[in-house]
Amino acid sequence: MHETASAALNPFEIAALLVVASALLGWFNHHFVRLPHVIGLTVMGALAAIALMVANAFMPGITLDDWVADTLRQLNFTDTLLQGMLSFLLFAGALHVDLARLKVAWLPVLLLSTVGVIISTVLVGLAMWGVGTLLALPIAPIWYFVFGALIAPTDPVSVLGVLKEENVPQSLQSAVAGESLFNDGVGIVVFIILLGAAVTGADFSIAEGARLFAIEAGGGVLVGLVAGYVGYRALAGMDEYTLEVLITLAVVMGSYALCSYLHISGPLAMAVAGLLIGNQGVTFAMSDVTRDYVLKFWELVDELLNSILFLLIGLEMIVLVAGADAVVFGLAAIPLTLAARAVGIFVSTKAIPAARLQDKGAGRVLWWGGLRGGISIALALSLPAGETRDLILAATFAAVLFSVLVQRATLGRLIEKLKADHAPAVEDAPAPTRH
């Protein structure tokens, strides 16, 4: 019966269920639980998934957990996020980044989003390989590095939300946002290269990996530059806010679809196009009325998709296969990913004098604020079915849930402590008006 009901749901009905659930749970959280919005949705989604599994264990006749799992499979979280939501989320995030401030920190941002991601991938892969060896897990070595790549990207949506709430200076917001926006694209490219080697069983070649990386990353940046410039010129030629909002939508959807067709990095294209339109376009190609409508439209899109994304993160717990090995493997992933992130930040910001973070406290905010989110889960869910996927999925959920429920919940306290210590990186200062 539940299979028929699940199969009868069309995409609009699934979207309606998610929006209604996000609104109801968001309302309940706002009035009664009072957790930060995305934390509340993640917690309630996870509790709902656990409650359904417990209910089915004690009352086998209740198959709601199977129905939810079937619906989530029909939705296909990986495709929904990577081929749909991610384009809007990254563009919306980049739209609000001050390019002038980002230029000041361009070298540490570049190193953090490239060298930092590669260091994190390698260190997490090696460390988890050691854990897997101790547990005698049947996982080929290359898969540990696949996990390292999928857990390396940080989530710009979560990070920027906290920094804005805490009124952190724009300079630090721009550095953190820039790293998060670009390391998503870099991390996904590294993941795709390693996954290809893992699935085919071919020996991984650093030279071949570098060639593929240059094509995917370089192609994404190029498409983003072209799409952003074309969008800017189109916006500059009119003053009609409804059409200009439509043009920004066309830039996002059209260029991301083109990147998918060309097999190059859509996330990097979105970051570059969003930076161009959010700075040149907003400053020089829009009237005050249009600017207000465009920015508010993308803020609304950002909030809506953010709510649905974190609810899905909680609900996706229902697909976990939680054996003893998976639990230990998952728990080990939490400190190891944090340690690898710390090393990546240290090397990226200390190896070259010009890349050093001068302000006291910036490194700690970057480290503890390196939150993992839906991208990591989507990549883990895209792996081929089997025991390896189940173990990697457990480790991914552990790292992401710790990130959302612990790191995000306590990042504000860290910032407040740094402010109390008068750390320059987080000291309140009047920010210059961009537009």
Side-chain angles (χ1 to χ4, degrees), residues 20-357:
V20 170
S22 298
L24 288 175
L25 292 176
W27 177 87
F28 183 84
N29 176 63
H30 178 79
H31 286 284
F32 301 105
V33 183
R34 299 187 182 279
L35 288 170
H37 181 59
V38 296
I39 296 178
L41 286 174
T42 306
V43 169
M44 286 187 281
L47 290 176
I50 293 170
L52 289 172
M53 289 186 285
V54 171
N56 187 51
F58 286 97
M59 293 174 285
I62 297 178
T63 57
L64 276 176
D65 61 330
D66 292 334
W67 183 83
V68 172
D70 288 344
T71 302
L72 290 173
R73 277 191 288 270
Q74 186 180 345
L75 171 68
N76 195 331
F77 183 86
T78 301
D79 286 346
T80 300
L81 177 59
L82 297 182
Q83 302 302 330
M85 296 170 69
L86 186 59
S87 60
F88 298 104
L89 290 169
L90 290 176
F91 182 84
L95 202 64
H96 295 89
V97 175
D98 189 336
L99 188 57
R101 292 187 182 275
L102 186 59
K103 285 179 181 177
V104 175
W106 73 270
L107 186 54
V109 167
L110 175 65
L111 293 176
L112 284 165
S113 57
T114 53
V115 176
V117 167
I118 293 170
I119 288 174
S120 179
T121 298
V122 172
L123 292 181
V124 169
L126 289 171
M128 295 302 284
W129 187 1
V131 173
T133 302
L134 290 174
L135 295 174
L137 297 179
I139 301 179
I142 186 66
W143 289 103
Y144 295 108
F145 296 95
V146 170
F147 170 71
L150 70 84
I151 208 65
T154 56
D155 180 12
V157 178
S158 296
V159 179
L160 285 178
V162 177
L163 297 185
K164 288 176 182 176
E165 289 170 10
E166 295 296 331
N167 197 27
V168 169
Q170 284 288 332
S171 55
L172 181 57
Q173 286 193 36
S174 297
V176 173
E179 186 225 349
S180 296
L181 288 168
F182 286 104
N183 73 14
D184 282 348
V186 173
I188 291 172
V189 171
V190 174
F191 168 82
I192 291 171
I193 293 170
L194 289 172
L195 179 62
V199 171
T200 60
D203 292 335
F204 176 72
S205 164
I206 294 179
E208 179 64 11
R211 186 186 72 83
L212 293 173
F213 179 86
I215 292 172
E216 292 223 12
V221 170
L222 180 61
V223 169
L225 285 170
V226 173
Y229 179 76
V230 170
Y232 163 70
R233 297 302 304 172
L235 293 168
M238 67 182 72
D239 184 17
E240 179 61 52
Y241 72 85
T242 53
L243 184 54
E244 290 182 73
V245 169
L246 182 61
I247 287 171
T248 61
L249 271 172
V251 167
V252 172
M253 300 178 75
S255 56
Y256 203 85
L258 177 62
C259 287
S260 179
Y261 176 76
L262 296 175
H263 301 290
I264 56 180
S265 178
L268 286 175
M270 291 301 96
V272 172
L275 285 171
L276 277 176
I277 291 179
N279 288 269
Q280 297 297 107
V282 168
T283 304
F284 301 112
M286 298 181 191
S287 65
D288 291 341
V289 173
T290 297
R291 183 182 306 124
D292 187 52
Y293 273 97
V294 168
L295 293 179
K296 286 182 177 176
F297 169 79
W298 283 103
E299 285 175 6
L300 178 61
V301 170
D302 190 28
E303 285 297 320
L304 173 62
L305 295 182
N306 191 23
S307 298
I308 294 172
L309 172 61
F310 282 92
L311 174 62
L312 282 171
I313 288 174
L315 286 174
E316 285 286 350
M317 279 192 66
I318 208 164
V319 305
L320 279 180
V321 180
D325 286 343
V327 171
V328 174
F329 196 65
L331 291 176
I334 297 171
L336 294 177
T337 53
L338 286 171
R341 167 90 177 154
V343 174
I345 291 172
F346 181 83
V347 173
S348 300
T349 60
K350 298 292 185 184
I352 301 176
R356 289 179 181 173
L357 301 170

